Amino acid sequence: PVFFWAVGAAMGAMPTEGMEAFWADRERRFGMKPAAFRAMAPHLAAQFEAHLANLETALSDGRAFLGGDAPGHGDLAQYQLLWFQKPRFGGDLAPIVGDRPHLGAWAQRVADIGHGQPIPMDAQEAIAAARAAEPTVRGIVAPGCGFETGQAVLVSQEGSNDAPTSGRLAVLTDRRITLLRDHPETGTVAVHFPRLGQIIRPA
């Protein structure tokens, strides 16, 4: 829900003219009709503003990050919602954090983490790397979950009309799902999903 609020705040004023392909894709995948979405946008933006107020309050006790002294998943999950707002302000978050000093300082600390040391790679290099590697995941399927290691399954995202991903079940826990998939170009690859937000069913 918070992500959808952020989407409404970021995209509520996005034009439809000249972006027909974008909106057609969103309608196909998520049922987002432009007129209905734009009508909802003020409410979604208001909800997002309330969420930012809650974050400001949470950070006002002096903690460096949402979970304490060290950054964690929650910080990354929340920061990307702010990052998503940048285009509507010309790349500047000042209109959002200007009157929320704790949120602004926190956002800068998260931004300072950076993006590690990415290695540029084109599609063919990525395929070659996958072909040269062998998945190391082993059968970790929670007992009593109704599924078995190696079972053919389908995984799809809640709220999306995209086609499900098929594969052989390698991992199913309360945190993650991993499928093994085979393709002539790549050999066997492991495809990972978070458990939250995913629907798994027998193929």
Side-chain angles (χ1 to χ4, degrees):
V2 178
F3 177 73
F4 197 49
W5 298 342
V7 169
M11 296 172 50
M14 183 175 288
T16 54
E17 187 176 347
M19 301 191 66
E20 289 80 6
F22 171 83
W23 285 109
D25 174 76
R26 290 308 184 269
E27 182 172 350
R28 177 184 60 80
R29 297 183 64 196
F30 306 115
M32 282 173 53
K33 296 181 181 294
F37 177 75
R38 294 184 74 171
M40 292 173 58
H43 168 72
L44 298 176
Q47 295 301 297
F48 187 58
E49 287 289 319
H51 179 66
L52 295 180
N54 286 338
L55 289 179
E56 173 70 10
T57 300
L59 292 161
S60 66
D61 63 2
R63 71 183 78 179
F65 297 98
L66 293 173
D69 294 333
H73 178 270
D75 297 282
L76 304 181
Q78 295 297 327
Y79 178 78
Q80 57 101 9
L81 301 180
L82 279 117
W83 174 87
F84 194 45
Q85 309 303 313
K86 284 187 173 184
R88 67 182 174 123
F89 297 119
D92 186 7
L93 285 179
I96 291 179
V97 301
D99 59 350
R100 299 182 176 108
H102 302 290
L103 185 68
W106 164 84
Q108 188 59 56
R109 285 191 291 272
V110 178
D112 288 344
I113 295 171
H115 298 278
Q117 296 179 335
I119 300 172
M121 181 180 291
D122 64 25
Q124 290 307 311
E125 290 174 313
I127 291 171
R131 187 168 54 245
E134 184 69 23
T136 59
V137 294
R138 299 292 181 264
I140 308 171
V141 175
C145 69
F147 294 90
E148 298 179 357
T149 301
Q151 180 178 351
V153 297
L154 300 171
V155 175
S156 55
Q157 180 182 354
E158 289 181 353
S160 170
N161 296 321
D162 288 349
T165 301
S166 62
R168 304 186 311 279
L169 185 62
V171 176
L172 177 59
T173 70
D174 57 359
R175 302 295 296 275
R176 65 191 182 107
I177 303 169
T178 299
L179 305 185
L180 296 178
R181 290 171 52 87
D182 301 301
H183 191 277
E185 284 193 271
T186 62
T188 301
V189 296
V191 181
H192 306 281
F193 304 85
R195 186 65 186 91
L196 284 174
Q198 307 299 321
I199 300 169
I200 181 170
R201 63 184 189 274

